[in-house]
Amino acid sequence: MDVKIYTDIACPFCYIGKKNFEKALAEYETDAKVNIEYASYELDNQAPKMPEKNIYEVLAEKHEQPMEEINEMVGHIVEQGKIAGIEFNMDKVIPANTRDAHRLLKLAYEFDLGDSVLESLHKAYFTEGKNVSDKDVLLEVAKANGIPEVPALEVINDPSLFLENVIGDFNMAKVNKVRTLPYYIFDDKFAISGAREPRHYTIALNKTLQPEK
């Protein structure tokens, strides 16, 4: 079974969904091999690499909502994160451009390290308060997950490498009418969107693996 998941490093619901999907998969009993592909989706490809605004200001501007409502929304995200086992330190978040992180993630898949690198990127962004556009941060993530230094540096220092792959994912997302992240496509049979509870992913797995009548 193939599961394609459109995601962005800067999407807290993608991080929550990742954790909950992994929990559902770990508890799911099947002999079928489940192949997971995280596809790139940039929520804001124009975000600066060195942002001057904090995450609250960015969200208030994006959603055109008063800060009081943004604080309430962020508080809800933090609580959802705790349930999923995530420590969201939203006051530390640097809302930087994620394109280079997505390009590094594409390289990671060539070494079968995509899942662990995505986890590290989410953690760097939401828990550790690191700038995922920073070359040193990206190299640190690459090394920590076992990506060889030479190809990692090549990708980090050459913005053209894997760029077509990242943009290609986004274009395919438009074909698939993706509007909400995370977005899951199960064996090209059906899709669900948004961060769900583990039981919802279990239902999706059951429906996908049911033999066709």
Side-chain angles (χ1 to χ4, degrees), residues 127-183:
T127 303
E128 299 168 343
K130 295 179 179 178
N131 186 333
V132 295
S133 274
D134 186 277
K135 292 182 178 182
D136 291 337
V137 170
L138 293 175
L139 182 58
E140 177 186 318
V141 167
K143 285 183 174 180
N145 287 280
I147 298 178
E149 184 172 350
V150 171
L153 282 171
E154 287 177 352
V155 171
I156 290 168
N157 290 318
D158 186 346
S160 70
L161 293 179
F162 292 105
L163 178 59
E164 287 186 6
N165 305 72
V166 173
I167 293 175
D169 278 356
F170 184 76
N171 290 337
M172 187 55 66
K174 289 192 289 185
V175 171
N176 287 319
K177 298 181 180 178
V178 175
R179 296 185 180 88
T180 303
L181 293 187
Y183 191 89

Side-chain angles (χ1 to χ4, degrees), residues 10 53-60 70 74 89-95 125-126:
K53 297 177 181 178
N54 62 39
I55 189 63
Y56 298 93
E57 293 168 329
V58 169
L59 290 172
I70 295 300
V74 170
N89 293 319
M90 301 301 279
D91 291 348
K92 293 183 179 181
V93 169
I94 300 172
Y125 189 96
F126 285 111

Side-chain angles (χ1 to χ4, degrees), residues 28-34 209:
Y28 192 76
E29 295 183 4
T30 179
D31 293 328
K33 183 179 179 182
V34 181
L209 290 172

